[in-house]
Amino acid sequence: DPLTMARLGATIDDAVGEAFDKAAAILGLGHPGWPAIDELARSGDDRAHDLPVSRLDRDSLDFSFSGLKTALLYTVRGTPQRIGGAKPAFQRDHTDLTDGQKTDLAASFQRAAVRAIVIKLERAVEPFDGAPRSILVGGGVSANSRLRADLAALGERAGVPVRIPPMAYCLDNAAMIGGLAFHLRR
């Protein structure tokens, strides 16, 4: 029911939406990040850069996106270098990227972030005796086209319905809070 839940996993650092926002900032795309990343990624090569997919421990259902963000940062800006006694500085920034490089980086970042989520959901679905009744998706990043497609594919493979809200309800967590408030009112 809507009021009985068990936490299976959580983020140990940044939420996926925050990771998308930081990735967009690294690429010079503005805020919020997920729509810009999603749009650029559509025409990019998601295998152009081998960015890390966080798995944590073998059975972990927790998420971590800090390594992915750092890998993107170093891919875009290089490793900080100390010249003389100066404070370490990056060699370049997003303005040194071509449009094609940005699209490939956006696609590669999106693939890695979404893959991490799908891996954790696959792990969560696995131990059930039979399939869970459904997978419920929420939050702003649930509007991401790659995430929606990959979660739908997971649902088909696992024989579990995936419930993703219409786009109008994916842009603001207020809709989720209002939905819970409806069930909590007495």
Side-chain angles (χ1 to χ4, degrees):
D1 72 64
L3 303 178
T4 305
M5 294 171 240
R7 176 185 259 179
L8 301 177
T11 183
I12 64 169
D13 44 47
D14 295 338
V16 69
E18 186 175 348
F20 270 89
D21 289 344
K22 287 183 179 176
I26 291 167
L27 294 171
L29 303 177
H31 185 81
W34 74 259
I37 296 282
D38 195 18
E39 182 65 32
L40 269 184
R42 292 172 202 250
S43 58
D45 176 2
D46 68 358
R47 299 289 177 173
H49 300 276
D50 189 23
L51 297 176
V53 176
S54 173
R55 289 174 172 81
L56 301 176
D57 294 329
R58 182 176 174 82
D59 296 325
S60 174
L61 297 177
D62 291 330
F63 297 95
S64 173
F65 295 100
S66 61
L68 173 59
K69 291 183 310 180
T70 301
L72 179 67
L73 177 69
Y74 286 0
T75 301
V76 171
R77 299 186 73 188
T79 306
Q81 302 292 315
R82 183 182 304 270
I83 300 172
K87 185 177 169 182
F90 289 104
Q91 303 140 341
R92 58 187 182 269
D93 66 18
H94 67 85
T95 61
D96 296 312
L97 298 172
T98 66
D99 290 344
Q101 289 170 322
K102 280 187 181 183
T103 60
D104 289 349
L105 284 161
S108 296
F109 174 85
Q110 181 171 265
R111 177 186 53 81
V114 168
R115 183 70 190 125
I117 293 168
V118 171
I119 286 169
K120 300 305 175 137
L121 281 172
E122 288 171 335
R123 287 180 185 174
V125 168
E126 212 172 71
F128 280 90
D129 185 20
R133 288 187 291 171
S134 65
I135 295 172
L136 217 49
V137 182
V141 177
S142 65
N144 180 277
S145 63
R146 172 105 188 220
L147 181 62
R148 293 171 87 84
D150 287 6
L151 291 178
L154 166 64
E156 286 182 31
R157 287 192 310 274
V160 178
V162 175
R163 304 193 191 294
I164 304 173
M167 293 293 279
Y169 300 110
C170 294
L171 302 178
D172 189 341
N173 290 339
M176 293 184 298
I177 294 166
L180 178 60
F182 172 81
H183 292 286
L184 289 175
R185 69 187 164 103
R186 302 255 185 242

